[in-house]
Every structure is written in C-alpha cells, then in structure tokens.
Amino acid sequence: MCLHVQRAARAVARRYDEALRPTQLTNGQFSLLMSLNRLEAPSIGKVAALLAMDRTTLTANLKPLERRGLVKVTVGDADRRSRLMILTPAGRAILGAAVPLWKRAQLATERLVTRSSPDRLRADLRALS
C-alpha cells in the first residue's frame, strides 16, 4: 500500500501545482502562505510544526516567497532570537487569487476519492495517479 500512497501523494501534489500555476505558487508554497494567514505573526517553529517539516526546510521554502515580496521575516519582540513570518499585502493578494484555484482542485480531487475498503482505497489512490 505504501507505493500506492506515495504515487497518489505525488499525483495529488502535481494536480495542485498545476491548478496553482497561474499564481506561480507551488502547492507547498500555498500551504505555507495559508499557514501565515492569521492575525498574529507565527514563529518559524510553530509553522514548521503545523506543516510537519523541519525548520531548515521551512526556511528554504520561505526564501522564494521572501524574494517575491509575499512574506516578510521579522525578529520577535518578546524573544529577539525568534523569527516571525508576516504575510505582506502582496502575499495576501496572491493568496486571494490562489484560494479559488485551490478550491477547484480540491473539489476535483474529492470527486475521485470515495469511502471504501482498503482494496477500494488502493484503487482510488491509483485513480489519482
């Protein structure tokens, strides 16, 4: 089953990457921007935990978004060692354009997956790839 899950994960990622292409965001970048779409700026550690990735990977994924002016990294007020991430106005605008594209991809993906037995789930995962 592991092979089917891995294949499906890659296929799903490709689906979302393709859907988000007009915004020049990858699925991973979209998830990162969504995790920053909140009232208070989160720390790198909190976002890394939310997205289940290590801080080094998160920082590497953050760099292209910073270069595009979509995210700004600042020093924490309470703890000068912490880094906080802020979604810029440009980041909010691109996220606003990306959400409808993501929702369409989500609906299309959900239509391919049904509740089922393990054998049926494997077949559904194959349908995604």
Side-chain angles (χ1 to χ4, degrees):
M1 184 154 151
C2 183
L3 173 63
H4 297 295
V5 172
Q6 290 171 337
R7 285 181 59 198
R10 286 190 296 275
V12 169
R14 281 192 306 271
R15 285 177 182 276
Y16 286 94
D17 284 345
E18 183 60 34
L20 293 167
R21 189 177 308 279
T23 63
Q24 297 179 334
L25 292 174
T26 66
N27 183 44
Q29 290 171 333
F30 174 80
S31 295
L32 178 51
L33 291 178
M34 284 296 290
S35 73
L36 303 181
N37 192 24
R38 52 177 81 185
L39 294 176
E40 291 190 30
S43 69
I44 287 180
K46 286 185 180 178
V47 173
L50 175 69
L51 297 177
M53 63 174 54
D54 61 72
R55 293 167 58 104
T56 305
T57 302
L58 176 61
T59 300
N61 288 324
L62 198 57
K63 295 294 182 191
L65 299 174
E66 279 186 285
R67 283 192 296 273
R68 286 181 65 185
L70 305 178
V71 175
K72 182 178 178 184
V73 178
T74 64
V75 175
D77 291 332
D79 181 356
R80 306 288 297 162
R81 295 171 298 168
S82 71
R83 298 292 177 260
L84 304 177
M85 297 174 288
I86 301 168
L87 198 55
T88 66
R92 289 189 192 287
I94 199 97
L95 197 53
V99 166
L101 301 173
W102 181 89
K103 284 183 178 180
R104 264 185 257 140
Q106 179 74 3
L107 286 171
T109 302
E110 285 176 358
R111 281 190 212 108
L112 296 174
V113 179
T114 60
R115 294 181 200 200
S116 60
S117 69
D119 287 338
R120 181 65 200 168
L121 176 57
R122 276 190 284 279
D124 288 342
L125 293 173
R126 281 191 299 273
L128 292 172
S129 58

